[in-house]
Amino acid sequence: MSDLVIVESPSKAHTIQKYLGSGYKVLASKGHVRDLPEKRLSVDVKHDFAPKYEIMKDKEKLINELKSEVEKSGTVYLATDPDREGEAISWHLAYILGLPLDSQNRVEFNEITKTGVANGMANPRKIDIDLVNAQQARRILDRLVGYKLSPFISQKIRRGLSAGRVQSVALRIIVDRENEIRAFVPEEYWTVDAKFIPKGGRKAFPASLYSYNGEKLKITNKEQADKVLADLENAEFVVSKVKHGTRKKQPAPPFITSTLQQDASRKLGFQSKRTMKVAQELYEGINIDGIGALGLITYMRTDSLRISEEARLTGNQYILDNYGEKYLPEKPRYFKTKKGAQDGHEAIRPTNPMLTPEQVKDSLTADQYKLYKLIWERFIASLMSVCIQNTVSIDIDANGYTFKTSGYTIKFDGFTKLYVEGKDETEESAKALPDLEVGEVLKLKELTPNQHFTQPPARFTEASLIKALEESGIGRPSTFATTVTTIVKRNYVEREKKTLIPTSLGEVITDLLSELFPEIVDQKFTAKVETELDDVENGDEQWKNMLSKFYKGFDKTLKSAEEKTDGTKVKIPVVETDIVCDKCGRKMVIKMGKFGKFLACPGFPECKNTKPLIDEKDITSTEKQGENVQAEETNEICDKCGAKMVIKIGRYGKFLACSNYPECKSIKQITVKTPGICPKCGSKIIQLKSKRGYKYFACEKGKECGFMTWDTPLADKCPKCGNTLYKRRGGAIVCNNENCEDYVEPPKKETKKSSKKTKKNEK
């Protein structure tokens, strides 16, 4: 009789099965199996907030299969993720499957490697009920806020709206920043910049005016700048001070969840949801050529900077072997974890530091490779020596005015040889200055006054918002990605390039909540709730008491808000355009629908005319300027009625639709030309989308030719046959011409039946 191990993910189950062998059977719960039903509150607020859990409908068949396996198995181990959510899933599984809650059957895998799995199985423990209660408290708290507050704002603003505890605070942070930008009044100021050439030199170096007669100089208008230029006419510029020094630049610590999301956003352009999805894949295990299934990184939801000594020694050995002894510090470097962190797991690091990104590149997708490379480089760099810079600062005097300049050169690159932390703002690059001596007279090459205006604070990016949430103690590592995704998905916030901008709807909701529910959108209050949840996890607070204290105040505020706003409704400001409704003559306005912005007649419900917007980005940029954008038809002609086609936005992106809708319901895909040439007939290759929105490439002649591929055509040509080269999903560059000697046939996926036959043949 084999033992049963239940994990969350099927891919993780496959990897762990390899390490445990035939004495164990590993199955997956596929996430949560029991939860609060969606269509009702499911919390009894009158009886100690008792939750009414139900088995999720899509998990009923799976639960029956697990029950059957439990009856046939020896010991049952619960090996869900090592965090609050994972602990709660194990608790729900134990309840449903009839497992004793005081049994030593809970195991944790901080990393999915042979050593990590062996250590987890060797140290089973009881389910941590305090951890479970912390998760229950958060789930019930968010349910109470969501299910009590959402109907209120839906009634007061618009049907179908929702509000959440953490997302409302995140939205307010973005709205407050937008209000700061609007209220900002720019101030004029001037700088005077010079370029000097040293004696006997040719290359000029820059310096900026700093002070006059020892006092810092502030120039606020052109007249003052012109006076400076007049005072410095024919002046002698003399070096008055030269200061040399050195500074040490320390490496950044290994990643925690928030810093991984921030750096992946800055360096890779990944949204937090995408980052966490790829990190989950790297943690759960990937089939590596020549190695087999292996988890490449440790658990990716963590706030700790601690690393194991085994990983440190392995990383140090890699540095010695590849960079030399001087790149390893004399004493090991330890990073201090932030106060208040849970410190339940190690920092995010490669499970085997000796396994470089290049060694596993061919086995990873492009996203997996990029993220693994980022994590691996950050970890190795955190163990390396400091970067040493030679610094120099120079003062130049003329007629009582002092110009300053500074620069640095790299004396020893240290960890920067491998990795430099990403920044929201660009850092000043290294600037080498000439060797100068005090008293040396310089030749003035250029003296330029420059007008400037003070700039408003920058809008939040996803990276800077996550940083702000973390610094304020709002949310926890596992919630940041979900919070940002939710407010964007609900159209409370829009993305413009990398920045987050509140919509009119988002601002109206924030204003309403700030007025009537100040505590819900207060950063300090929300951070206090997170601290109380941590107290529940540590066993220092009873979860029912914590919920009771919160709900008393919240319920009172809700009743007061309903009384204050009885019979009133808040209007969402709309942007009027110059486009005239062709049915009633009114000027159409921009509204937000399920699939984005569209034009609607303000005479609704008398007039229900709507039109699509051609380009959402154009509308977003012009709303700020108070301009209107005319939606233009395309040159495509409808095959059925001859009318012009227009661009619409659907579930899977943009498509062409007949402008005569609903009389004519003809639609077409939007085709994108590529540099590819069809290897069958020599026609152009176009990019299309499948029914599920996945892009593929085909001959423009369609079924007449029949050529189709998932590989991406490149501009480069095959040196043998002149046909287009294609890039495979794994990154390989191949020729797609079957008649070419360099042609590589794409691998065929084995069906389940064929793979079973193959296994039988192997046996």
Side-chain angles (χ1 to χ4, degrees):
M1 183 182 288
S2 60
D3 292 339
L4 178 65
V5 178
I6 303 176
V7 298
E8 283 185 47
S9 162
S11 59
K12 193 201 296 188
H14 173 72
T15 310
I16 293 171
Q17 182 71 71
K18 169 195 154 186
Y19 294 126
L20 293 178
S22 58
Y24 295 86
K25 186 166 186 178
V26 185
L27 297 176
S29 71
K30 300 178 183 178
H32 279 276
V33 291
R34 198 169 67 136
D35 199 3
L36 301 172
E38 288 185 4
K39 294 184 179 180
R40 54 184 185 273
L41 180 63
S42 304
V43 177
D44 191 345
V45 294
K46 295 180 180 179
H47 297 89
D48 286 338
F49 304 94
K52 299 174 183 178
Y53 294 116
E54 287 184 7
I55 295 174
M56 299 158 79
K57 287 186 178 180
D58 60 338
K59 296 293 177 71
E60 289 175 353
K61 183 179 177 183
L62 174 65
I63 290 298
N64 290 331
E65 291 173 358
L66 289 175
K67 284 181 177 178
S68 176
E69 289 295 335
V70 168
E71 291 175 1
K72 297 186 290 183
S73 303
T75 305
V76 178
Y77 294 99
L78 302 171
T80 49
D81 285 352
D83 56 14
R84 282 180 188 170
E85 293 295 321
E87 202 74 16
I89 293 172
S90 285
W91 181 70
H92 286 300
L93 282 168
Y95 179 86
I96 294 169
L97 301 176
L99 304 176
L101 293 175
D102 59 350
S103 178
Q104 301 274 347
N105 63 350
R106 174 74 170 113
V107 296
E108 290 184 319
F109 303 134
N110 186 53
E111 58 183 57
I112 310 301
T113 60
K114 189 172 183 178
T115 303
V117 171
N119 288 340
M121 295 301 293
N123 296 285
R125 59 168 175 80
K126 295 179 184 178
I127 290 175
D128 188 337
I129 199 64
D130 289 331
L131 209 59
V132 173
N133 286 339
Q135 189 276 342
Q136 281 198 104
R138 176 187 286 278
R139 186 77 183 92
I140 293 169
L141 188 64
D142 290 343
R143 174 58 66 98
L144 290 171
V145 174
Y147 274 58
K148 295 284 186 178
L149 204 53
S150 297
F152 176 81
I153 64 170
S154 294
Q155 184 184 16
K156 301 302 173 187
I157 300 175
R158 191 180 75 191
R159 286 181 61 189
L161 299 180
S162 65
R165 184 177 58 86
V166 177
Q167 77 188 43
S168 297
V169 181
L171 178 60
R172 181 178 179 175
I173 291 172
I174 296 170
V175 171
D176 285 350
R177 177 60 59 85
E178 195 67 19
N179 289 334
E180 282 182 59
I181 293 169
R182 287 177 186 144
F184 182 82
V185 179
E187 293 181 6
E188 181 184 6
Y189 71 98
W190 288 69
T191 59
V192 177
D193 302 311
K195 287 187 178 179
F196 299 106
I197 299 175
K199 186 179 179 181
R202 292 184 179 180
K203 190 174 180 181
F205 66 92
S208 296
L209 181 61
Y210 179 76
S211 64
Y212 179 67
N213 288 336
E215 292 186 8
K216 191 171 181 180
L217 188 63
K218 186 179 180 181
I219 306 173
T220 58
N221 53 54
K222 188 176 186 300
E223 290 72 24
Q224 293 176 357
D226 289 340
K227 182 181 182 305
V228 171
L229 295 184
D231 291 347
L232 292 172
E233 192 173 352
N234 301 320
E236 185 178 60
F237 294 87
V238 181
V239 177
S240 59
K241 182 181 177 183
V242 178
K243 184 179 179 181
H244 291 280
T246 60
R247 67 182 177 197
K248 294 179 179 179
K249 188 176 181 181
Q250 298 286 345
F255 283 126
I256 58 175
T257 306
S258 58
T259 54
L260 174 64
Q261 292 171 354
Q262 291 168 47
D263 230 33
S265 174
R266 296 181 189 118
K267 288 193 165 189
L268 307 178
F270 285 10
Q271 294 176 11
S272 53
K273 184 179 178 181
R274 181 179 176 187
T275 299
M276 296 310 291
K277 176 181 176 293
V278 178
Q280 183 86 32
E281 294 166 356
L282 294 173
Y283 164 71
E284 290 179 350
I286 293 168
N287 278 311
I288 307 298
D289 292 342
I291 298 175
L294 176 69
L296 289 175
I297 64 169
T298 53
Y299 194 56
M300 64 285 159
R301 292 186 179 92
T302 179
D303 55 9
S304 173
L305 297 176
R306 173 174 49 85
I307 62 169
S308 71
E309 289 304 312
E310 181 184 357
R312 183 188 300 280
L313 291 172
T314 308
N316 287 348
Q317 191 59 52
Y318 177 86
I319 295 167
L320 284 172
D321 294 344
N322 292 272
Y323 296 101
E325 193 173 343
K326 64 180 181 178
Y327 282 91
L328 199 63
E330 293 180 4
K331 292 182 180 180
R333 184 182 295 107
Y334 292 90
F335 295 97
K336 190 176 180 181
T337 297
K338 183 182 176 182
K339 185 180 178 182
Q342 294 175 314
D343 198 24
H345 313 288
E346 287 187 61
I348 304 169
R349 62 167 178 83
T351 55
N352 180 5
M354 288 291 186
L355 205 57
T356 67
E358 295 306 316
Q359 287 176 291
V360 298
K361 184 176 182 179
D362 291 342
S363 303
L364 305 180
T365 64
D367 281 3
Q368 289 169 350
Y369 168 72
K370 288 175 185 176
L371 197 65
Y372 180 66
K373 186 173 185 287
L374 195 69
I375 293 168
W376 183 88
E377 287 181 350
R378 172 93 164 209
F379 172 73
I380 295 296
S382 72
L383 303 175
M384 295 174 72
S385 299
V386 297
C387 171
I388 302 175
Q389 300 170 347
N390 286 329
T391 62
V392 59
S393 60
I394 300 170
D395 289 3
I396 302 159
D397 289 349
N399 288 353
Y401 291 95
T402 300
F403 288 79
K404 282 183 177 287
T405 186
S406 61
Y408 68 90
T409 54
I410 304 296
K411 182 179 180 182
F412 175 62
D413 53 6
F415 73 92
T416 61
K417 190 176 185 73
L418 180 64
Y419 174 88
V420 178
E421 185 180 10
K423 298 290 180 184
D424 289 321
E425 294 85 22
T426 55
E427 285 190 325
E428 185 181 352
S429 57
K431 180 173 65 178
L433 295 174
D435 290 328
L436 301 175
E437 295 180 0
V438 175
E440 184 174 339
V441 178
L442 303 174
K443 180 183 177 182
L444 178 66
K445 180 183 179 184
E446 188 178 294
L447 191 64
T448 311
N450 294 302
Q451 184 187 35
H452 307 274
F453 291 92
T454 53
Q455 296 297 310
R459 285 191 174 105
F460 282 104
T461 62
E462 191 163 319
S464 60
L465 177 63
I466 289 171
K467 186 177 181 181
L469 291 172
E470 183 191 23
E471 289 175 348
S472 301
I474 299 166
R476 284 298 178 259
S478 59
T479 65
F480 294 141
T482 307
T483 299
V484 178
T485 303
T486 300
I487 58 177
V488 173
K489 185 178 178 181
R490 289 176 177 165
N491 295 319
Y492 300 163
V493 169
E494 289 179 325
R495 297 182 192 273
E496 187 176 284
K497 295 182 179 178
K498 285 189 174 183
T499 59
L500 300 172
I501 305 173
T503 62
S504 299
L505 176 60
E507 294 191 53
V508 167
I509 290 173
T510 298
D511 291 343
L512 183 67
L513 294 179
S514 298
E515 180 186 350
L516 301 174
F517 301 89
E519 282 193 333
I520 292 295
V521 290
D522 181 69
Q523 294 184 42
K524 290 182 180 178
F525 177 78
T526 308
K528 183 185 171 208
V529 171
E530 295 295 344
T531 303
E532 289 173 349
L533 287 169
D534 290 343
D535 291 339
V536 172
E537 180 177 327
N538 297 327
D540 299 328
E541 174 78 75
Q542 291 293 320
W543 69 282
K544 293 178 182 178
N545 292 340
M546 180 249 172
L547 287 173
S548 179
K549 285 188 291 183
F550 171 83
Y551 188 70
K552 281 179 183 177
F554 174 68
D555 189 49
K556 185 178 178 181
T557 305
L558 182 62
K559 288 176 181 175
S560 173
E562 287 171 344
E563 290 173 3
K564 287 179 183 177
T565 59
D566 186 32
T568 62
K569 194 157 185 174
V570 182
K571 287 188 176 181
I572 305 169
V574 294
V575 178
E576 188 180 82
T577 71
D578 289 334
I579 301 167
V580 178
C581 174
D582 47 19
K583 292 188 177 180
C584 70
R586 296 182 177 94
K587 285 188 176 181
M588 303 192 82
V589 296
I590 299 171
K591 287 198 173 183
M592 181 68 72
K594 187 177 180 181
F595 301 118
K597 292 179 179 177
F598 64 96
L599 291 171
C601 180
F604 182 87
E606 293 83 13
C607 179
K608 299 180 180 179
N609 188 23
T610 62
K611 286 185 178 182
L613 280 176
I614 297 299
D615 194 338
E616 289 187 43
K617 290 182 182 177
D618 289 343
I619 296 299
T620 302
S621 62
T622 53
E623 274 185 48
K624 297 176 291 181
Q625 303 163 12
E627 298 173 2
N628 302 308
V629 176
Q630 179 78 33
E632 295 180 2
E633 296 170 333
T634 69
N635 293 324
E636 290 277 342
I637 302 298
C638 175
D639 298 332
K640 291 184 179 179
C641 69
K644 287 193 174 183
M645 307 286 278
V646 295
I647 298 173
K648 286 193 175 184
I649 301 172
R651 185 177 178 184
Y652 301 114
K654 294 181 180 179
F655 64 95
L656 292 173
C658 182
S659 56
N660 261 342
Y661 181 86
E663 288 77 15
C664 177
K665 298 182 180 180
S666 176
I667 61 172
K668 284 182 181 180
Q669 282 200 33
I670 296 177
T671 58
V672 180
K673 290 185 178 181
T674 73
I677 302 297
C678 176
K680 282 191 174 182
C681 68
S683 301
K684 285 278 186 183
I685 295 291
I686 55 174
Q687 178 187 313
L688 298 168
K689 284 188 177 181
S690 68
K691 290 182 179 179
R692 282 291 176 186
Y694 301 112
K695 70 177 182 181
Y696 67 96
F697 304 91
C699 178
E700 64 179 351
K701 290 186 177 179
K703 292 181 180 179
E704 184 183 336
C705 172
F707 175 75
M708 189 278 285
T709 180
W710 294 100
D711 301 332
T712 305
L714 304 174
D716 299 327
K717 305 297 181 185
C718 174
K720 293 286 179 69
C721 68
N723 184 61
T724 305
L725 289 177
Y726 290 76
K727 184 177 181 180
R728 294 262 165 89
R729 289 186 177 183
I733 307 298
V734 298
C735 177
N736 220 313
N737 184 359
E738 296 181 16
N739 299 319
C740 177
E741 59 184 76
D742 281 354
Y743 171 71
V744 180
E745 188 174 350
K748 293 181 180 178
K749 288 186 177 180
E750 289 185 337
T751 61
K752 291 184 178 179
K753 290 182 180 179
S754 63
S755 62
K756 285 180 181 178
K757 289 179 181 179
T758 306
K759 288 180 180 178
K760 286 181 181 179
N761 292 336
E762 287 176 356
K763 288 180 179 179

